Amino acid sequence: MSRSDRPLFALDRRTLLKGALGAGLTAGGWPLLCAGPARAQFKAFPFSLGVASGEPAPDGFVIWTRLAPEPLTPSGGMPPAPAEVTWEVAADQGMQRVLRSGKASARAEAAHSVHVEVEGLEPGRDYFYRFRAGGAESAVGRSRTLPAPGAAVSQLRFASAGCQKWEEGYFTAWRRIGEENFDFVVHYGDYIYEAAAAAVDDRGRPLSRVMPPDFGPCLTLADYRRRYALYKGDPDLQAAHASCAFLPSFDDHEVANNWTADADPKKKPLTAFLSRRVAAFQAWYEHMPVRRSALPRGPDISAYRAFCFGNLADIAVLDTRQYRSHRACAELFDSCKQAEAPERTMLGAAQERWLADILRAANGTWQILAQQVLFSRLDWRFFTGHGGAELELRMDAWDGASAGRNRVLKMLQETRSANPVVLTGDLHRGMAMEISANPDDPGGPCVGVEFLATSISSDGDGSRNVRNAEAIFRQNPHLKFLNVERGYTRHVVTPARWQADFRAVQKVSTPGAPILTRKSFVVEAGRPGLVDV
Ligand code: FE
Ligand code: CA
């Protein structure tokens, strides 16, 4: 059925009255017409932003949609009234064997988004879901519950992905993720980019897609909502969301470039930046398939959390932005004593204690730290130039808070974490690294591995050729792979080994490029380090 064929219900006052009266909602003899959600007539197909699922548990997951018949307008084309949305979860893709169903109210206060926490399902199974509103029907999404706690599991297949600057490339990598039928996707952040519409990119190259000219920088809730609507209107991204659950997290661009805790590096007044955080987190919540526990409270959001994949993996999703120390040193690439101060942190004290507890309780084979910015030390001298005399560390990454990193390394050792795997993004490069027990000795014994997923589209068409590659590898002996193509990392995890495949699309300046595996590494359980395959 094409979108224009879908029946649209007109606002039916009699149905409305009956519903309100039937529910006994009267005051002074008058039905409370505004008390319950109303069936509304939509100006166009209301499920224009697709569907999504996330936060899988052994007995359920969150299903999400947002009613937006005119997605790029500030209201999404919805009146301020609530609208009723019905949802169904079925055992089959044809939605014949419906197992759970219900009604939810899409409210203007949350941009007419709907987050349903589905419960009572079986562990380790595929399910399908869809929504209806005003006579229109959404696409059908697939999701999968986690295995039962402690269950013996033979395999986990998932993707790690993020950095999807809309104007810099097509979301072909999302399309390819959608074709992989993953257990879930770990999204490390940079789901949107907050900058104003431009005609060319930072390097003066033409953009693959041009944002509407009235898209200024995201500062208010309306700005962030419109930005998410632009991104979520993309059919490739919708296909990925419909294919499996996401574990969303955020990095800097969901709020502002390189922000740290209560400040952005442009040193705007504190109040202005916190107001921006209120708007940014509200819009993030509205557009992500996350639980009610992630509903922001003013400028604060609770985003670090843990998942278990049977007895195979324990997953800690970290928040490396909200509680970190302010940027150290004078430049983004720099080195100075301040970066090594013992009080510096990326997680904050409470999250550090929480992570230690999670690692202590972990009994899976693999311990996954799903997070945003580079964990390992990396000397950037040959990335940024031709190798000056001074060490150049990226102050926006864990190198800017080495004491905080040392505390996490100590935790991994003290809790006898058998097989730590750190997942990262942010750098728009694919990278594989061995995590040194002593970051000052990058070639020394390693305690685990770090896989950086490259960007979905940020920085536009990539290349296999890395400038100064030989010098970069010489300077960084723990770095085993470096690539600047666009794509994602596919992880295939079993009790005996972890395989990471660096997946690359050949082009993002035009849609529909094929995908290939550029490089694979294996980690054997119990033997930290990368094995070339
Ligand atoms: Fe990015
Ligand atoms: Ca980033």
Side-chain angles (χ1 to χ4, degrees), residues 162-164 188-190 193 251-253 426-428 455 458:
C163 285
Q164 52 196 61
Y188 64 71
D190 286 4
Y193 283 69
D251 191 23
D252 54 333
H253 288 289
D426 180 51
L427 297 177
H428 309 170
S455 61
S458 302

Side-chain angles (χ1 to χ4, degrees), residues 19-151:
L21 290 168
L25 298 170
T26 55
W30 290 96
L32 288 176
L33 287 182
C34 56
R39 266 188 175 165
Q41 180 178 5
F42 301 118
K43 296 169 189 163
F45 184 58
F47 298 107
S48 62
L49 306 181
V51 299
S53 76
E55 305 297 283
D59 70 338
F61 37 75
V62 174
I63 56 174
W64 172 94
T65 193
R66 181 188 156 199
L67 304 179
E70 294 173 330
L72 298 189
T73 65
S75 68
M78 291 294 290
E84 187 179 272
V85 178
T86 61
W87 58 270
E88 290 177 325
V89 172
D92 62 311
Q93 190 157 14
M95 301 299 295
Q96 296 300 302
R97 290 170 49 217
V98 173
L99 304 169
R100 291 279 180 281
S101 61
K103 291 185 196 312
S105 179
R107 292 180 173 274
E109 293 90 325
H112 292 96
S113 63
V114 169
H115 301 71
V116 179
E117 299 190 19
V118 182
E119 295 174 344
L121 304 177
E122 299 287 315
R125 285 227 194 142
D126 280 354
Y127 292 95
F128 300 86
Y129 61 93
R130 76 173 162 206
F131 301 91
R132 286 202 189 89
E137 199 171 275
S138 77
V140 172
R142 166 193 171 268
S143 196
R144 189 170 174 80
T145 49
L146 295 179

